[in-house]
Amino acid sequence: MSRNRITLTGIACVAALGLAACGGGGSYGGGSDSKASTPTSKASTATDTSTVKVSDSPLGGILVDGTGRTLYLFTADGKNTNSMKCDTACLKLWPPAEGKPKAGPGADAGLIGTTKGSAPQATYAGHPLYYYAKDKAPGDLKGQGIDGIWYVLNAKGTAMKQAAPSTDSDGDSGYGY
């Protein structure tokens, strides 16, 4: 006859598993997300920062990268500088568009620049550019309007503040909440 015993090792294992399941919270500018975070493959979040171009969207012409991924601005950033206070979790959600791209169709080459520093970030009309990690396919607009501080840009480099229509088939609102 055997007896079940709870050991100190067993308790430690259960505690470690419980802690591993806990996710980090958001930070300033990161938006809120009530869903568990899951790792994404590089293929699903491929970016081509070598080009900034204008693409048609439900909001009109917006800035995208060379693969058609939507580019965003953070309204609290200063001109030509990334002033966002962002921790690791925030950077995973809002990665910067790095490097100096060239102008593609519809984009004004005179408005493209970079921030200063060791890892230059692409800018357009002085606005540092970001991706939203939950935008998985070209044309996704899930980051549009999050927290009233994240917006897509038009060809003039102006934030487009109208709401994006939801086109998700999975029941999401389309805004990443």
Side-chain angles (χ1 to χ4, degrees), residues 19-89:
L19 287 175
C22 293
S27 67
Y28 179 72
S32 60
D33 187 2
S34 61
K35 294 181 184 175
S37 186
T38 57
T40 57
S41 71
K42 285 191 182 249
S44 68
T45 58
T47 58
D48 173 9
T49 59
S50 66
T51 304
V52 169
K53 61 186 180 178
V54 175
S55 181
D56 287 331
S57 81
L59 300 175
I62 63 167
L63 292 184
V64 299
D65 74 0
T67 61
R69 293 248 351 252
T70 304
L71 295 166
Y72 296 88
L73 67 81
F74 174 57
T75 56
D77 271 340
K79 277 230 175 209
N80 296 310
T81 182
N82 175 340
S83 54
M84 180 173 59
K85 305 285 187 264
C86 203
D87 63 15
T88 304

Side-chain angles (χ1 to χ4, degrees), residues 52-172:
V52 169
K53 61 186 180 178
V54 175
S55 181
D56 287 331
S57 81
L59 300 175
I62 63 167
L63 292 184
V64 299
D65 74 0
T67 61
R69 293 248 351 252
T70 304
L71 295 166
Y72 296 88
L73 67 81
F74 174 57
T75 56
D77 271 340
K79 277 230 175 209
N80 296 310
T81 182
N82 175 340
S83 54
M84 180 173 59
K85 305 285 187 264
C86 203
D87 63 15
T88 304
C90 169
L91 285 172
K92 283 184 179 181
L93 195 58
W94 294 102
E98 296 176 335
K100 182 171 182 176
K102 65 181 188 292
D108 182 341
L111 296 179
I112 294 175
T114 60
T115 59
K116 294 178 171 87
S118 60
Q121 182 175 350
T123 63
Y124 195 85
H127 302 288
L129 301 175
Y130 301 87
Y131 294 99
Y132 183 56
K134 292 185 179 185
D135 284 351
K136 301 296 181 191
D140 280 354
L141 298 167
K142 294 179 182 178
Q144 174 66 358
I146 287 185
D147 292 339
I149 54 177
W150 294 99
Y151 297 102
V152 298
L153 298 88
N154 63 20
K156 294 179 181 180
T158 305
M160 300 177 72
K161 295 189 175 182
Q162 65 266 38
S166 177
T167 57
D168 288 353
S169 60
D170 62 3
D172 260 354

